[in-house]
Amino acid sequence: MNEIICPNCKKAFKIDEAGFADILKQVRDHQFEEELGKRLKLADNEKESAVKLAEANLKSLLQADLNKKDKELSEKLAAKEAEIAQIKSKLDSAELERKLSVTVAVQKIEKERDDLVNNLKFKETETLLLEKSLNENFLIQLKTKDDIIKIKDEEIAFRVDLKQRLSTKMVGESLEQHCEIEFNKLRSSAFQNAYFEKDNDSRSGSKGDFIFKENDVHGNEIISIMFEMKNEADATIAKKRNDEFFKELDKDRNEKKCEYAVLVSTLESDNELYNMGIVDVSHKFQKMYVVRPQFFIPIITLLRNASMNSMQYKAELSLIKNQNIDITNFEDNITKFKEGFAKNYDLASRQFKTAIDEIDKTMDHLQKTKEALLSSVNNLRLANNKAEDLTIKKLTQGNPTMKAKFDEL
């Protein structure tokens, strides 16, 4: 904006660049016309002055010549006419030169005017382009800012929602109830043969929250997990850490003979390690994991699938255990036979000794003693016959495992 003072009222007023350029153009056009008029008028005045001067000089010369030399009038007249012609020629030349100068001046001024107009148009175009570019950049920056704000708002909403889901999601229900509800939603479809109940056995002085177990159709255990749930609201003043519960959880797992231990926790909500989802802490305690509540079902599925893959090895181990049990039963049968034989032998020995004593003591009972001896001998014979009649084939009868083992030998 330009400030202009009115020459009449002496008041200042502001005008923009376009209005100022228009006024400047009017002033320059008026000045040009006024200057052109002045120069034309000056040229006319110079011409008239020159003519008048020439005429005055001529008249004086002619008058003098008339007074002095009448006879030279014609020659001087001719000379003056020639001079007048020359003057006229010079005047024509001056007029032509003046017109040429005026034309050149006009062309120069018009060129300057055109240049100013073109520059003004260029400046206006440049201003428009700059304004358009600034507007576009502003719109782009504004859109980028809106996108950033939107992303920030979404991130804040996500964090708030995550916070709510991690610690205050279950309004009016505990984390244990939440996990139990989530499991029961899938029990009929995914965990039909699974056991998932609260750990109520506190005979050892402590207990976990839930025990998960699942067996195959043969009764072999697929997997067992001891669960501990720890929840903490945002407003809790005394904040606890997850690792404070690892030792007790490992103790509960071992006492209840569970294969895995899992801590479902909302503690340390700002800890990026635990916010990843499933954290393996078996470097501290064997087969122990820490998960957020939303990974409660996934950790069961992962551990269960891993255990299903090892079921073949567990079945082979169970078979070996059964074979060892058959061998143990075989050894028990031999031990029982030896104990029975020893008992019969001991009875027979005592009866024989009693018979000898009876013979020494009283002859009256000799017959009875003889019969007792014969009976004793018969028992010994029967016992001996039993010992001789004992074979591997008879002992392995009804025991396919031992029969197969001896056949291999």
Side-chain angles (χ1 to χ4, degrees):
M1 300 296 290
N2 296 293
E3 188 175 64
I4 298 176
I5 299 175
C6 178
N8 294 325
C9 61
K10 304 301 181 180
K11 290 184 178 180
F13 63 95
K14 291 185 179 182
I15 189 170
D16 57 9
E17 291 183 359
F20 181 77
D22 186 46
I23 292 174
L24 184 62
K25 178 177 177 299
Q26 293 178 16
V27 171
R28 287 184 176 177
D29 291 344
H30 178 72
Q31 289 177 348
F32 172 74
E33 292 175 356
E34 186 178 358
E35 185 69 20
L36 181 60
K38 286 181 179 180
R39 290 191 182 185
L40 290 174
K41 186 176 180 180
L42 181 60
D44 291 336
N45 292 335
E46 289 177 353
K47 178 182 176 183
E48 290 176 358
S49 298
V51 171
K52 287 179 179 180
L53 180 60
E55 288 177 351
N57 290 334
L58 184 60
K59 285 180 180 181
S60 63
L61 288 173
L62 288 173
Q63 187 68 34
D65 288 340
L66 287 172
N67 295 330
K68 292 178 180 180
K69 297 178 180 178
D70 291 336
K71 63 179 181 179
E72 295 177 357
L73 182 59
S74 299
E75 295 178 358
K76 288 184 179 180
L77 183 60
K80 292 298 180 183
E81 288 178 355
E83 188 178 357
I84 290 171
Q86 186 179 1
I87 290 172
K88 286 182 177 182
S89 177
K90 288 181 178 180
L91 289 174
D92 293 337
S93 297
E95 179 69 14
L96 181 61
E97 185 178 356
R98 184 187 64 79
K99 289 182 179 180
L100 182 61
S101 298
V102 171
T103 304
V104 171
V106 170
Q107 290 178 350
K108 183 179 180 181
I109 292 173
E110 288 179 349
K111 185 176 182 301
E112 290 178 354
R113 183 193 65 189
D114 295 336
D115 291 338
L116 288 173
V117 171
N118 291 332
N119 289 334
L120 183 60
K121 289 182 178 180
F122 176 77
K123 289 294 183 181
E124 291 177 351
T125 305
E126 186 178 7
T127 303
L128 290 175
L129 292 176
L130 180 60
E131 183 179 358
K132 183 178 179 181
S133 177
L134 290 175
N135 288 333
E136 290 177 352
N137 290 334
F138 177 75
L139 291 175
I140 292 173
Q141 292 177 359
L142 186 62
K143 186 176 184 301
T144 303
K145 182 180 179 182
D146 291 338
D147 292 339
I148 293 174
I149 292 174
K150 182 179 179 182
I151 292 173
K152 291 292 185 182
D153 291 339
E154 291 176 351
E155 181 69 15
I156 292 172
F158 171 76
R159 290 294 180 183
V160 170
D161 180 65
L162 180 62
K163 275 275 190 179
Q164 291 175 346
R165 287 189 291 107
L166 290 182
S167 52
T168 59
K169 174 178 179 279
M170 294 76 68
V171 178
E173 68 175 3
S174 67
L175 181 59
E176 296 179 19
Q177 292 172 330
H178 167 71
C179 294
E180 186 175 15
I181 291 172
E182 291 298 314
F183 182 84
N184 288 332
K185 288 179 182 178
L186 300 174
R187 184 191 288 269
S188 60
S189 59
F191 305 105
Q192 296 180 356
N193 299 323
Y195 169 89
F196 182 76
E197 300 293 341
K198 286 187 67 65
D199 180 16
N200 296 318
D201 185 3
S202 58
R203 288 176 295 179
S204 61
S206 65
K207 61 185 181 67
D209 288 328
F210 285 93
I211 295 178
F212 172 87
K213 288 186 178 181
E214 186 171 3
N215 298 334
D216 62 7
V217 294
H218 301 293
N220 299 318
E221 182 179 285
I222 299 175
I223 186 174
S224 59
I225 306 173
M226 171 63 70
F227 281 102
E228 182 75 19
M229 284 72 174
K230 293 297 177 184
N231 190 20
E232 183 177 72
D234 291 338
T236 303
I237 297 176
K239 302 291 184 181
K240 292 186 176 293
R241 300 197 317 273
N242 289 312
D243 54 10
E244 296 178 12
F245 302 95
F246 290 170
K247 184 177 181 181
E248 190 69 21
L249 178 58
D250 185 67
K251 176 185 174 184
D252 293 336
R253 178 184 72 86
N254 291 324
E255 289 179 351
K256 304 303 167 58
K257 301 186 184 308
C258 293
E259 184 178 1
Y260 294 96
V262 176
L263 176 64
V264 183
S265 169
T266 62
L267 307 181
E268 299 183 68
S269 59
D270 295 330
N271 192 319
E272 293 298 327
L273 173 64
Y274 297 114
N275 288 337
M276 290 190 303
I278 299 175
V279 180
D280 184 356
V281 293
S282 56
H283 59 283
K284 293 184 177 180
F285 293 94
Q286 186 180 12
K287 293 186 176 183
M288 183 177 293
Y289 297 88
V290 181
V291 302
R292 292 304 190 193
Q294 62 267 32
F295 294 97
F296 169 65
I297 295 299
I299 188 64
I300 296 178
T301 306
L302 289 173
L303 296 178
R304 179 195 188 197
N305 292 340
S307 298
M308 290 292 289
N309 294 332
S310 63
M311 278 305 296
Q312 179 181 358
Y313 305 105
K314 289 185 178 180
E316 293 178 358
L317 181 62
S318 177
L319 179 61
I320 293 173
K321 287 182 178 179
N322 291 332
Q323 291 176 353
N324 290 335
I325 290 173
D326 289 341
I327 293 173
T328 302
N329 292 335
F330 176 74
E331 292 176 348
D332 291 341
N333 290 334
I334 293 178
T335 302
K336 288 179 180 179
F337 171 77
K338 289 180 178 180
E339 290 175 353
F341 179 81
K343 184 178 181 180
N344 290 335
Y345 180 79
D346 183 61
L347 290 173
S349 297
R350 282 185 291 175
Q351 288 176 355
F352 183 79
K353 187 176 182 300
T354 301
I356 296 299
D357 291 340
E358 290 296 328
I359 292 172
D360 292 337
K361 288 180 180 180
T362 157
M363 293 297 297
D364 296 335
H365 298 93
L366 184 59
Q367 189 64 33
K368 294 180 179 179
T369 302
K370 182 178 179 180
E371 292 178 356
L373 287 173
L374 291 175
S375 176
S376 155
V377 170
N378 187 49
N379 286 329
L380 289 173
R381 180 181 59 79
L382 292 174
N384 186 53
N385 291 337
K386 288 181 180 180
E388 291 180 355
D389 195 43
L390 179 63
T391 63
I392 297 300
K393 183 176 181 180
K394 288 183 178 180
L395 287 175
T396 57
Q397 186 176 1
N399 192 332
T401 300
M402 292 306 302
K403 185 176 184 303
K405 292 292 183 181
F406 282 107
D407 289 341
E408 289 176 1
L409 294 173

